[in-house]
Amino acid sequence: MPLPLELWAEVFGYTDGICLGNLILVNRALGQEAERLLYRNVILRTRGSFHLFYQSIHACRRRAAIVTGIHISSLEDRADLDRIPSLLREFHNLRRLTLVLFEARLPQDHMSILQAILGVHFPSLSSFSIMSPLPLNDCFLNFLESHSHLQHLDLGSMQLLSGSDLSRFRYPPIRSLTCTSRLLAHLSPIVTSLTRLHIVSCSSSQLIRVAEQLGPQIVSLRLGSVYIPITTYAVNNDFASMSLYDVATRFPRLRFLQIDMGQVPEGPSC
């Protein structure tokens, strides 16, 4: 007695990409289910995987409609980088986009490529994550502002371009945000929908400022590379220190807390 497709889909969930690729060739019914699982969430970390995926999409454009999540990282070949914008334009149903690019490159070498990537509009994009040495400039801001359905935003360690004016910028109604404390300081007006916050690096004094800015609305808080001074230091004529009790008091709605603990020698709080 043949198994229903729902059970086959459950079985296929335990297989790898190579096996799913072979299952596509079995018959039409199983092939469509295997293809859906293979192309739904795509991770491209090597030149070989990028080439195979690029060729398969152009061989069958229908597959582009299946892709809802894509992670692209560690591409060093200039020809591959040049193909990324045209490839992304194929994904009209994309909801999750992660870019880890240009780690070993000079920023000016690839600014045009990044601008082309950020010039692509994804109507259904809800999650965007990027790691890049380039600063948060007008190109990034226009991209964020044009995606009104964005709910999860990960800017990593990106810094704001010197001299940038955020007075007219309006964040989309994001619910979770990952960024540095310095970038967070420019978050104005306050995004009232924000409830989950990951600060990539943070000192005690910076955490106090975050609490003043967003404390009443944060439900989940992660502090990466947080620096708790061995002694307290004067910040604006006040002593900056933050205990767990202070965190609970200043973030009254907090339900989840993760601290990636670090420590610095005696000296001014960073």
Side-chain angles (χ1 to χ4, degrees):
M1 180 177 179
L3 293 175
L5 281 178
E6 291 79 7
L7 290 182
W8 280 118
E10 186 71 20
V11 174
F12 291 173
Y14 293 94
T15 60
D16 58 18
I18 296 176
C19 184
L20 287 173
N22 292 330
L23 286 169
I24 290 176
L25 305 176
V26 174
N27 60 47
R28 177 172 294 183
L30 294 182
Q32 288 179 346
E33 189 60 35
E35 189 177 62
R36 183 183 66 84
L37 293 174
L38 183 62
Y39 285 89
R40 183 174 55 188
N41 292 299
V42 180
I43 299 176
L44 305 175
R45 290 198 178 101
T46 66
R47 184 180 184 186
S49 64
F50 183 85
H51 273 265
L52 288 174
F53 180 70
Y54 185 85
Q55 292 171 0
S56 69
I57 291 295
H58 283 273
C60 181
R61 302 281 179 154
R62 174 180 53 82
R63 292 169 178 164
I66 304 174
V67 179
T68 59
I70 188 166
H71 177 121
I72 303 176
S73 66
S74 304
L75 296 181
E76 295 291 336
D77 186 77
R78 178 60 188 252
D80 291 342
L81 294 172
D82 286 334
R83 292 190 182 102
I84 293 177
S86 62
L87 178 65
L88 292 177
R89 290 190 186 96
E90 301 286 340
F91 307 134
H92 302 293
N93 297 323
L94 194 68
R95 300 183 63 185
R96 297 172 300 279
L97 174 61
T98 299
L99 300 173
V100 183
L101 303 174
F102 320 139
E103 294 172 294
R105 305 281 184 158
L106 294 175
Q108 58 268 29
D109 291 344
H110 298 291
M111 178 62 79
S112 60
I113 297 176
L114 189 56
Q115 287 178 339
I117 293 174
L118 296 176
V120 181
H121 181 71
F122 307 98
S124 303
L125 190 68
S126 62
S127 176
F128 178 61
S129 176
I130 185 166
M131 292 183 63
S132 169
L134 300 175
L136 189 68
N137 56 17
D138 290 341
C139 186
F140 279 103
L141 297 178
N142 291 336
F143 176 85
L144 298 178
E145 205 165 22
S146 66
H147 288 83
S148 58
H149 297 291
L150 202 60
Q151 296 183 358
H152 310 286
L153 178 60
D154 183 351
L155 298 176
S157 299
M158 291 186 69
Q159 301 295 333
L160 186 66
L161 182 65
S162 178
S164 295
D165 181 14
L166 293 183
S167 60
R168 296 184 179 181
F169 175 69
R170 294 296 178 266
Y171 279 83
I174 53 177
R175 293 190 298 172
S176 69
L177 173 65
T178 298
C179 67
T180 64
S181 57
R182 292 182 180 179
L183 185 59
L184 188 63
H186 294 277
L187 184 63
S188 179
I190 299 300
V191 180
T192 57
S193 58
L194 183 63
T195 58
R196 298 193 292 274
L197 179 63
H198 175 195
I199 307 176
V200 176
S201 60
C202 187
S203 67
S204 293
S205 59
Q206 290 167 338
L207 183 56
I208 291 174
R209 297 188 187 103
V210 171
E212 294 172 349
Q213 185 181 14
L214 296 167
Q217 66 190 69
I218 297 300
V219 174
S220 176
L221 178 64
R222 178 182 175 185
L223 304 174
S225 301
V226 62
Y227 294 106
I228 307 298
I230 297 174
T231 59
T232 57
Y233 307 103
V235 177
N236 296 329
N237 297 322
D238 293 323
F239 283 94
S241 62
M242 199 79 161
S243 67
L244 290 178
Y245 176 79
D246 293 328
V247 171
T249 302
R250 292 174 180 266
F251 296 88
R253 295 185 59 202
L254 195 65
R255 295 294 178 269
F256 304 95
L257 174 64
Q258 177 177 334
I259 301 176
D260 303 330
M261 188 64 71
Q263 193 175 59
V264 295
E266 293 190 12
S269 176
C270 60

